[in-house]
Amino acid sequence: MWYCLLLLSILLLIKFRDQRLFFSITRIGHTDIPSTKKIDAPSENVKIQDVMAFGFRGLAFGYFTFTLLAHWKFIDAYTTPIYMVIGVWLGYTLVKFVLEMMIGLFWWSRRLLLEVVVRRSLLKTKAAFLLLIFILISQYPPINNVIYWTISGGIYLVYYIIGYLFFANPYRQLIRKKIVLFISYICTLEIGPLWVLFELINQTNA
């Protein structure tokens, strides 16, 4: 319960700091970034509410992943602390960001990559709010089981895929021209790390 209160407190602080960002996060059925045009060039100045949104995303995703892996018996909830899962997520996110900026510098498109990161961050934070809803519902003990978390994981995955399509829509012409690079990016930085993580978990439990 204290974890839920922590997540709700972060959301409340975001609301006090930036109501526009708060409603962008909580309106999970509405995209605040049109799918037919690019957003304005984002500011490179990091604001405190952006840090809070990033922390909210990490805590929500960390709890969800930890609980799902525990119910699937991939990890032992008693020997694997939740902060380890959050730490892995944080390390992966930071390394991925650095690699993306390096790619942007190499292709002389750092501004474009920064724009992509901002759009995707909003999508992931919206998805984290959806996870918060699942976490709050799971506080009712009778439904806190593997079936519930598996269904929740499926809903989260579908939501993220649909959102990703909207997110990528303004860049469809560029993607078509660089389809091989785009597929390589998805496999290397989005799918690859998850596959490696599950392989490591399986070897650890073997």
Side-chain angles (χ1 to χ4, degrees):
M1 179 59 70
W2 67 269
Y3 206 95
C4 294
L5 293 176
L6 174 61
L7 291 172
L8 290 172
S9 298
I10 295 175
L11 269 183
L12 186 61
L13 290 174
I14 293 175
K15 186 177 188 299
F16 286 145
R17 295 283 304 189
D18 189 338
Q19 289 198 16
R20 181 179 179 183
L21 176 60
F22 172 80
F23 288 113
S24 293
I25 294 172
T26 54
R27 292 187 297 183
I28 56 177
H30 179 268
T31 174
D32 298 88
I33 304 176
S35 62
T36 55
K37 63 179 181 180
K38 300 178 183 178
I39 61 174
D40 295 333
S43 171
E44 297 187 17
N45 297 323
V46 179
K47 301 177 181 179
I48 184 64
Q49 57 265 34
D50 298 325
V51 177
M52 289 190 290
F54 179 78
F56 170 79
R57 195 174 91 210
L59 291 173
F61 185 77
Y63 183 94
F64 176 79
T65 304
F66 173 82
T67 306
L68 190 62
L69 292 177
H71 278 292
W72 284 352
K73 308 299 182 182
F74 282 114
I75 62 174
D76 186 346
Y78 296 100
T79 59
T80 305
I82 188 172
Y83 64 77
M84 183 179 295
V85 177
I86 296 175
V88 171
W89 171 85
L90 178 61
Y92 160 71
T93 302
L94 294 178
V95 169
K96 181 180 176 182
F97 176 77
V98 171
L99 289 176
E100 288 177 338
M101 290 300 102
M102 290 175 62
I103 293 173
L105 289 173
F106 180 77
W107 290 101
W108 298 90
S109 56
R110 185 179 63 88
R111 198 69 174 174
L112 175 61
L113 263 295
L114 187 60
E115 177 186 302
V116 169
V117 169
V118 170
R119 290 176 63 93
R120 191 182 56 209
S121 294
L122 179 56
L123 167 62
K124 289 187 175 182
T125 310
K126 282 176 173 290
F129 181 74
L130 179 63
L131 294 182
L132 173 60
I133 295 175
F134 293 145
I135 294 171
L136 291 173
I137 295 174
S138 72
Q139 300 306 303
Y140 181 60
I143 64 173
N144 187 10
N145 53 50
V146 63
I147 297 177
Y148 170 78
W149 285 106
T150 301
I151 294 174
S152 299
I155 295 174
Y156 169 80
L157 184 61
V158 171
Y159 176 84
Y160 187 76
I161 291 175
I162 294 174
Y164 208 96
L165 293 177
F166 278 93
F167 147 75
N169 189 55
Y171 312 103
R172 59 186 181 277
Q173 293 183 353
L174 179 61
I175 292 174
R176 288 171 184 171
K177 293 179 180 178
K178 307 288 185 180
I179 186 64
V180 175
L181 290 176
F182 180 72
I183 294 176
S184 299
Y185 164 80
I186 293 295
C187 293
T188 304
L189 296 180
E190 297 285 353
I191 301 175
L194 296 178
W195 178 79
V196 172
L197 178 60
F198 276 106
E199 284 297 316
L200 290 174
I201 293 174
N202 286 330
Q203 291 179 9
T204 301
N205 294 333

